[in-house]
Structures are given as C-alpha cells and as structure tokens.
Amino acid sequence: MTNQKPKVRFNPRADLVTLVSLPVASDMTVEVKDSLWYSGDELRALRDNAREAGRLIRQKYEESISLHVPQHYIISEYEVCSRGLELRIDPERQENIHITRQIIMKYQHRLRFGLTSTSSVIAYPDLYLANVSKKLSRRSRDIALSAARKDYFAAYPEMESL
C-alpha cells in the first residue's frame, strides 16, 4: 500500500443526458423510479451517516485541542473525509447560517409590511432581499469558491501553471 494522497479523477468520456430525453416522473414505472431516485430509507441512512461522521470528526477535533495537536495536522488528516460535512462539523458555520436565516426572515417580514429603515418605498423588494442575502453569504461563497478551485487543480494539475 502506498502513502500517496488520493487524487480526484473524472471519466474522460461523459454521457450527455438532456432533460428533454428524460421521461416525466408521472410517466415512469415504479421500477424505473426506484432505480433513479433515492428511497426515503436511503435518504435517512445518508443523513444518519453524515450526522455520525460529523459527530466523530468534531470529537476528534475537540480531543486534538485538549492534546495541543497543531491545527494543520488535524486539517490535513481529516480534510479528505470531511468534504461535504463542513456545516455539520463547524459550530460557527451552523450559528452563522442560523443568524443569516433569521436576518433574511426579518428583512422579508419588514419588506412585506413596508417597515423599512427609511421612509422611502423600496421599488424592487425581491432584489433588495437578494442583495441582503448575497452580502450575508459572502464568506461562505468565498470558502466554496476556494474549495472548488482546489478540487479543479487536484483533478487537472496541468491547468495550475496556466
């Protein structure tokens, strides 16, 4: 067994499936639906597995803090297995998303009843709300873009030098 870091690879031959060629769900047989969609039990198992993995990663991280293990060691050790679980393993992100949702709901309520901080009427409340959401989610978006960039260069290292 080698100690090489696993690399992301994509199949060079992609099968293109257009939405027009897919049948409407109401026209599908039960067997076809079962083969294409996750069942309720499968979704619950995925959610439970993610919850358990997040709990284990948080526990390892908390143990490492008490043992004074350098953070770069923890990140490199758990980076591969924590992909996609960031929200579950980071209490700060959970708190931030909760606060963001509360603020957006409060703005939406105020816009609906015309309770803006200024006396002027907002011409496009939907755009105003979208702008508030965009500002509140800027940090999360930057983190996602950075992770996507790393993934891209892991899959196509020859592109990094361009």
Side-chain angles (χ1 to χ4, degrees), residues 56-89:
L56 289 172
I57 292 169
R58 272 193 318 277
Q59 181 181 358
K60 289 286 185 191
Y61 180 73
E62 289 165 4
E63 288 171 5
S64 72
I65 291 173
S66 65
L67 298 173
H68 303 292
V69 176
Q71 186 176 7
H72 69 275
Y73 175 76
I74 297 300
I75 290 171
S76 63
E77 184 178 351
Y78 294 104
E79 185 177 21
V80 175
C81 68
S82 67
R83 176 62 108 206
L85 298 172
E86 295 87 357
L87 182 60
R88 288 200 179 273
I89 63 176

Side-chain angles (χ1 to χ4, degrees), residues 8-122:
V8 177
R9 289 188 204 94
F10 295 97
N11 188 342
R13 186 182 142 295
D15 296 328
L16 181 64
V17 178
T18 63
L19 293 177
V20 176
S21 66
L22 290 176
V24 180
S26 59
D27 294 339
M28 293 181 189
T29 65
V30 173
E31 293 80 22
V32 171
K33 284 182 188 176
D34 288 345
S35 70
L36 295 176
W37 299 98
Y38 288 115
S39 70
D41 290 340
E42 290 171 321
L43 289 172
R44 274 187 291 285
L46 287 169
R47 199 170 26 253
D48 291 345
N49 289 340
R51 188 177 295 120
E52 179 64 15
R55 187 188 64 74
L56 289 172
I57 292 169
R58 272 193 318 277
Q59 181 181 358
K60 289 286 185 191
Y61 180 73
E62 289 165 4
E63 288 171 5
S64 72
I65 291 173
S66 65
L67 298 173
H68 303 292
V69 176
Q71 186 176 7
H72 69 275
Y73 175 76
I74 297 300
I75 290 171
S76 63
E77 184 178 351
Y78 294 104
E79 185 177 21
V80 175
C81 68
S82 67
R83 176 62 108 206
L85 298 172
E86 295 87 357
L87 182 60
R88 288 200 179 273
I89 63 176
D90 190 348
E92 182 183 349
R93 287 181 81 170
Q94 291 173 1
E95 181 66 19
N96 287 345
I97 198 166
H98 178 71
I99 291 169
T100 298
R101 285 180 178 153
Q102 285 182 322
I103 291 170
I104 290 171
M105 295 299 284
K106 188 169 278 191
Y107 266 93
Q108 188 176 31
H109 176 78
R110 294 184 73 143
L111 285 169
R112 183 174 294 140
F113 294 105
L115 304 171
T116 60
S117 58
T118 64
S119 59
S120 62
V121 176
I122 295 175

